[in-house]
Amino acid sequence: MTYDYDLFVIGAGSGGLAASKRAASYGAKVAIAEADLVGGTCVIRGCVPKKLMVYASKFSHLYQDAVGYGWSQVESSFDWQHLVTVVDKEVRRLSQLHISFLEKAGVELISGKASLLDPHTIQVGERKITADKILIAVGGEAVKPNLPGMEFAITSREMFLLEEQPKRLAVLGAGYIAVEFAGIMRGLGSQVTQLIRGDMFLKGFDEDIRSGVSEGMKQHGIEVIANVIGQKIEKVPEGLQLTFSEKGKDVDSTITVDAVLVAIGRAPNLGGLGLDKAGVKVVNCEDEDLPRLHGYSVSCAIAVDEYSRTSQANIFAVGDCTNRINLTPVAIGEGRAFADTEFGNNPRIFSHETVPSAVFSQPEAATVGLSETEAKAKLGDDAVQIYRARFRPMFHSLTGAEEKTMVKLVIDKQSDRVLGAHMTGEYAAEIIQGMAIAVKMGATKKDFDATVGIHPSTAEEFVTLR
Ligand code: NDP
């Protein structure tokens, strides 16, 4: 049987782009379908525009900090439309760049939404295309809670394109996206109220990261209301009124804002994909209480094995739609491992162990390896040694700001191995990236101690912990 393509990739995001180019480099005939701008969530409405907005938001803090160093007070104003326009322009430039990379790699780009008709046939618009192997890399999309008035709320997708800066913003959620946008919008001058259903941000992260981020955000003027359940949103003459119930309070409370951002998780983008027609199974979709997008909840995922193979032998899936670790570098790694295995005669599994990540909150947080709680649950309380320092970074010794940096190592007492490295504070992502190499290589605390620090720096704290 001959097919139109050796590989057809659905979704030109991080995972799909990486896999398609790698497969083409081995001589495979590859096509990739994309219904939106090429680049996917990270480039178009995630990591890239988010980080640019984080940069934009930090100037207000810098202007204040500069006064402590002898600069006169800066009277500056901020132009939201300018930022949104230049960020959008940069995103479109990168999207074009990705298209040129595909051309260079010999991958054919097909515009339109693809759906599966059977295990080897894909429909895009009027076109029916056949392929030997298919890779699903459709990513995810933000969900909203099932509450009255949620049509008035926005998700991170719309945040990048708002015509006006909301002067008063309510943020629902306590994960990556919620804390990052709370920091961005506060830095840009909005009044931000963050409503979280538990009592702390960033569930799953080391407790010292959670408390460090929480404290820092409050210091930056973000109002946090904990143990809250959102009830409804209504349009009122003054803006949007968000009603919520607070644990321990008999009556509901309200706040009136210009925009409500919901960031309560993302569901795989599987609507209309025709998975059932191709015999591709999904898992973890049973919980009826979870918010859904086109029928799929935040816990749903395409079921895959360690080689990213679905229940259909010739169909594979990588990235957020498999809900393993939903990070761009992971999707890229999974995509390349798939291409090496299937087209490069180099069978290999992408390791999901010791994956570092950062939250671009303010203060920034970054982490690799086990948290203290995870390490103690795995090895027992007495088998784990914790080294931690919390201090005012040198930069703030003259600014007067009460900013704190936290660095922490989680050590296996018996082997002396570093099981986890965690940090909150300026450049946490940059610093933990280096630590991640050491942790991945199995470095011990003695190795860290034997490393000479770079002085004066924050990173040196990791090699001087006592
Ligand atoms: P997350 O999965 O990080 O967090 C979801 C948050 O929503 C949790 O705090 C959860 O609260 C809360 N929540 C869930 N349901 C409700 C509800 N019904 N009402 C109120 N709160 C609720 O989701 P995000 O949307 O922030 O991010 C999605 C994914 O995107 C992340 O998992 C991450 O992998 C990726 N991402 C990574 C970034 C990075 O690497 N810097 C940046 C942005 C996104 P609770 O804690 O109580 O469970």
Side-chain angles (χ1 to χ4, degrees):
M1 171 94 191
T2 56
Y3 298 102
D4 298 333
Y5 295 96
D6 298 318
L7 172 66
F8 192 93
V9 179
I10 307 179
S14 303
L17 289 169
S20 63
K21 287 182 292 182
R22 182 63 66 93
S25 77
Y26 294 122
K29 188 179 179 202
V30 185
I32 189 166
E34 175 57 58
D36 201 334
L37 287 178
V38 168
T41 300
C42 182
V43 175
I44 309 300
R45 61 188 75 87
C47 341
V48 171
K50 178 273 307 287
K51 190 83 188 275
L52 292 171
M53 287 180 111
V54 169
Y55 288 135
S57 71
K58 286 192 167 178
F59 287 102
S60 58
H61 306 304
L62 275 177
Y63 294 150
Q64 274 174 14
D65 293 338
V67 176
Y69 282 86
W71 292 91
S72 60
Q73 192 84 42
V74 173
E75 291 300 329
S76 187
S77 61
F78 170 66
D79 183 343
W80 171 267
Q81 278 88 4
H82 177 91
L83 179 66
V84 170
T85 306
V86 292
V87 167
D88 186 56
K89 198 171 157 202
E90 175 61 4
V91 161
R92 286 171 191 277
R93 185 186 74 80
L94 292 173
S95 180
Q96 280 304 319
L97 205 60
H98 281 292
I99 292 174
S100 69
F101 293 156
L102 286 177
E103 281 166 4
K104 216 182 272 174
V107 176
E108 187 184 336
L109 174 62
I110 299 174
S111 291
K113 185 165 166 62
S115 64
L116 297 160
L117 298 178
D118 64 47
H120 288 283
T121 315
I122 310 106
Q123 176 146 17
V124 187
E126 296 297 303
R127 229 176 125 183
K128 284 190 181 135
I129 300 158
T130 59
D132 182 16
K133 289 179 177 139
I134 296 171
L135 177 69
I136 303 170
V138 291
E141 190 63 73
V143 296
K144 288 180 179 179
N146 195 9
L147 299 174
M150 267 302 141
E151 66 274 19
F152 300 125
I154 54 173
T155 67
S156 53
R157 175 183 266 272
E158 292 87 34
M159 272 309 290
F160 298 111
L161 301 168
L162 286 181
E163 283 176 11
E164 270 182 50
Q165 178 179 3
K167 295 290 172 224
R168 300 160 300 171
L169 176 72
V171 180
L172 267 185
Y176 282 83
I177 296 177
V179 297
E180 290 182 342
F181 268 113
I184 289 169
M185 298 309 289
R186 181 68 200 129
L188 296 178
S190 297
Q191 190 184 314
V192 178
T193 308
Q194 189 164 356
L195 301 105
I196 65 178
R197 71 174 176 183
D199 46 20
M200 193 68 100
F201 301 119
L202 298 175
K203 190 153 77 187
F205 280 77
D206 189 272
E207 292 300 317
D208 283 296
I209 284 193
R210 301 179 78 191
S211 56
V213 169
S214 175
E215 196 178 296
M217 286 176 63
K218 286 177 193 164
Q219 266 162 14
H220 283 187
I222 293 164
E223 189 192 351
V224 179
I225 311 180
N227 298 306
V228 161
I229 306 284
Q231 298 294 350
K232 61 178 172 185
I233 302 174
E234 291 162 297
K235 229 181 179 136
V236 295
E238 304 78 34
L240 296 175
Q241 182 172 279
L242 171 65
T243 303
F244 56 92
S245 54
E246 261 177 282
K247 211 192 235 170
K249 285 198 179 170
D250 295 336
V251 283
D252 286 351
S253 309
T254 61
I255 49 166
T256 304
V257 291
D258 302 305
V260 178
L261 168 68
V262 290
I264 62 157
R266 297 171 61 83
N269 213 349
L270 305 179
L273 205 52
L275 295 179
D276 43 347
K277 291 182 196 157
V280 175
K281 287 203 178 106
V282 289
V283 286
N284 302 329
C285 297
E286 297 78 23
D287 191 339
E288 294 293 332
D289 294 335
L290 289 175
R292 279 167 191 263
L293 185 85
H294 307 304
Y296 297 96
S297 75
V298 287
S299 64
C300 282
I302 294 181
V304 284
D305 68 9
E306 53 195 350
Y307 287 99
S308 297
R309 194 183 294 120
T310 69
S311 50
Q312 183 65 49
N314 71 308
I315 302 184
F316 300 77
V318 296
D320 289 7
C321 64
T322 62
N323 212 352
R324 286 174 280 184
I325 300 178
N326 297 337
L327 297 171
T328 282
V330 172
I332 292 171
E334 290 167 353
R336 288 185 181 151
F338 150 76
D340 289 347
T341 303
E342 296 299 321
F343 298 97
N345 198 23
N346 174 22
R348 66 181 186 92
I349 292 166
F350 173 79
S351 165
H352 292 88
E353 295 290 311
T354 327
V355 170
S357 82
V359 189
F360 294 99
S361 47
Q362 296 175 42
E364 194 166 295
T367 183
V368 61
L370 300 183
S371 67
E372 178 178 343
T373 309
E374 286 169 338
K376 286 183 172 170
K378 198 171 166 190
L379 303 178
D381 286 7
D382 296 339
V384 174
Q385 181 82 41
I386 300 299
Y387 293 88
R388 173 181 36 218
R390 202 166 167 274
F391 53 93
R392 182 148 85 168
M394 192 176 181
F395 174 72
H396 285 298
S397 54
L398 300 188
T399 68
E402 282 302 316
E403 297 264 355
K404 289 279 191 289
T405 288
M406 186 283 299
V407 302
K408 175 171 180 177
L409 290 178
V410 178
I411 310 293
D412 174 356
K413 264 189 199 167
Q414 206 204 337
S415 65
D416 196 41
R417 256 186 89 154
V418 180
L419 302 174
H422 311 280
M423 177 176 170
T424 57
E426 196 74 4
Y427 308 120
E430 312 289 345
I431 292 168
I432 289 293
Q433 181 66 84
M435 298 301 147
I437 302 172
V439 176
K440 186 91 184 165
M441 289 178 74
T444 60
K445 176 70 166 63
K446 275 193 197 69
D447 295 323
F448 272 59
D449 293 344
T451 305
V452 176
I454 295 174
H455 188 71
S457 71
T458 298
E460 70 176 321
E461 297 294 331
F462 273 108
V463 295
T464 55
L465 283 170
R466 288 284 172 268

